[in-house]
Amino acid sequence: MSMRYRRTALRGTAVGTVAAAALGLAAAGAWAKSDISFTAGPHSVRLGSSVHLAGHGADDNSTYNRFCVQERSGTGKWVTSRCSSGAYNGGGSLKFSVRPSHRGQWQFRGVLTEASSRTSRHTWIHQVSSTVTVRVR
């Protein structure tokens, strides 16, 4: 192989490496940013007392997002208590109170859901907050 072809091959390799690195850096900055926060309290209540729930969820992607609060008693299934009205490139906020119907351990969490539109029946969970346990005595 002559020196001329060797230089051309080295230049092609260098240009290809730089192009691949630039594409990798451009793709790394394209991540959607999401945020979720959720609080519940007090952590111990008497039967018939209120548990205050508040939370916010948002995402800057191009889907329809809603923030929901879910609850469960003991080891039962998660049940959605309430959802925000939702928005594109948003999510929503909720602030309300519930009165647990029986004694035991109640768990609450915030969930950010996604859908393709406001009327879509195919939603999926995008992000889940940490679970807050409330003891009802």
Side-chain angles (χ1 to χ4, degrees):
M1 189 176 216
S2 74
M3 188 63 103
R4 180 176 172 197
Y5 291 120
R6 200 175 282 166
R7 283 187 197 147
T8 304
L10 285 174
R11 280 187 194 138
T13 303
V15 168
T17 303
V18 169
L23 285 173
L25 289 174
W31 291 98
K33 293 161 199 73
S34 60
D35 181 38
I36 191 168
S37 63
F38 177 72
T39 60
H43 294 289
S44 180
V45 297
R46 293 181 184 217
L47 186 62
S49 296
S50 294
V51 177
H52 305 287
L53 309 170
H56 172 79
D59 194 356
D60 65 352
N61 62 8
S62 59
T63 60
Y64 183 78
N65 299 303
R66 291 188 335 170
F67 177 75
C68 299
V69 173
Q70 295 181 338
E71 66 180 51
R72 74 175 176 181
S73 174
T75 57
K77 292 184 178 184
W78 287 103
V79 177
T80 301
S81 299
R82 201 173 287 178
C83 290
S84 67
S85 59
Y88 286 98
N89 302 326
S93 297
L94 289 173
K95 188 174 184 179
F96 64 101
S97 298
V98 295
R99 292 179 190 259
S101 58
H102 58 84
R103 290 180 170 86
Q105 299 289 328
W106 286 77
Q107 294 179 321
F108 300 94
R109 69 181 184 180
V111 178
L112 185 62
T113 63
E114 285 186 11
S116 58
S117 70
R118 179 182 295 272
T119 58
S120 176
R121 296 190 184 268
H122 302 286
T123 61
W124 59 94
I125 293 176
H126 177 69
Q127 193 173 5
V128 178
S129 73
S130 58
T131 302
V132 178
T133 303
V134 175
R135 186 174 68 98
V136 180
R137 52 185 202 280

